[in-house]
Amino acid sequence: MRLVVFGWGNDARGDDGLGPLLLERIARAAWPDVSTIEDFQLQIEHALDLDGAEAVLFVDAGRDTPAPFAFAEIGPKRGESHTTHALAPEAVLDVYARSLRRSPPPAFTLSMRGESFELGDSLSAEARERLEAGWAFVQGLMAERSIEDWRRKAGEPARRTARESARKSKSGARK
């Protein structure tokens, strides 16, 4: 499955750097057919990066996200923004559909809960733990790279999914 992974945020704003930090790990893992794209924010041009992808994963930090993270399937939705900058993932999918006149690939978001977003803040202790939970979850996604599996996981409560991912990661490390 050809996968495009977007990670965005600003590490100069504390926990807002969670998306790029997780994306960095994904890039280092060098999974086949996985492309990673990092930016400070999503823009309309990112719609073109989806062309040819079989699936898309958007990773970022969220203020009101359930801890440790939320994983959901998303679809195209016209953005409410008055500008073409700082789009939501759903708006990027909408730009893709309108520009290329076809349905975008299946898309998912992984949003890790952040606590501290002020300029100059460092990554909080809670965010470090949530980054580890997100990383364990992504490793599970990559082990079962199928849309059906991802849809099933998107329907599960995040706490249970995070516990299962952490347990599998620990048992794999002991082998």
Side-chain angles (χ1 to χ4, degrees):
M1 172 170 72
R2 185 175 175 292
L3 175 67
V4 174
V5 183
F6 288 95
W8 72 98
N10 183 345
D11 63 359
R13 291 186 161 278
D15 297 352
D16 195 43
L18 280 167
L21 287 169
L22 184 57
L23 187 73
E24 181 180 308
R25 290 184 182 194
I26 293 168
R28 277 197 318 255
W31 282 297
D33 297 322
V34 174
S35 300
T36 57
I37 299 169
E38 180 182 348
D39 212 329
F40 282 109
Q41 59 191 7
L42 295 174
Q43 300 179 36
I44 60 172
E45 293 83 3
H46 288 120
L48 298 177
D49 294 319
L50 305 179
D51 199 24
E54 295 172 87
V56 184
L57 177 62
F58 295 92
V59 296
D60 75 338
R63 240 181 240 282
D64 298 319
T65 301
F69 59 79
F71 180 69
E73 185 171 13
I74 60 169
K77 182 178 178 187
R78 193 171 295 245
E80 303 284 326
S81 177
H82 65 284
T83 176
T84 59
H85 298 284
L87 297 177
E90 295 87 351
V92 173
L93 298 173
D94 180 64
V95 171
Y96 177 95
R98 287 186 294 119
S99 299
L100 300 178
R101 301 190 195 299
R102 61 179 182 262
S103 296
F108 300 84
T109 58
L110 176 61
S111 181
M112 296 162 284
R113 182 180 176 133
E115 303 294 333
S116 175
F117 292 88
E118 296 302 315
L119 186 61
D121 284 353
S122 58
L123 199 65
S124 69
E126 296 90 351
R128 288 183 199 286
E129 290 175 11
R130 293 165 188 161
L131 176 62
E132 295 307 319
W135 174 234
F137 183 74
V138 165
Q139 291 177 61
L141 289 178
M142 295 304 177
E144 301 286 334
R145 270 192 351 197
S146 78
I147 298 303
E148 295 78 25
D149 182 63
W150 287 26
R151 284 182 171 142
R152 183 184 55 77
K153 288 178 179 172
E156 294 176 359
R159 289 184 196 278
R160 186 176 91 212
T161 304
R163 277 196 309 271
E164 289 173 1
S165 297
R167 188 181 70 244
K168 287 178 185 176
S169 177
K170 287 178 185 174
S171 68
R174 286 185 276 221
K175 291 183 181 179

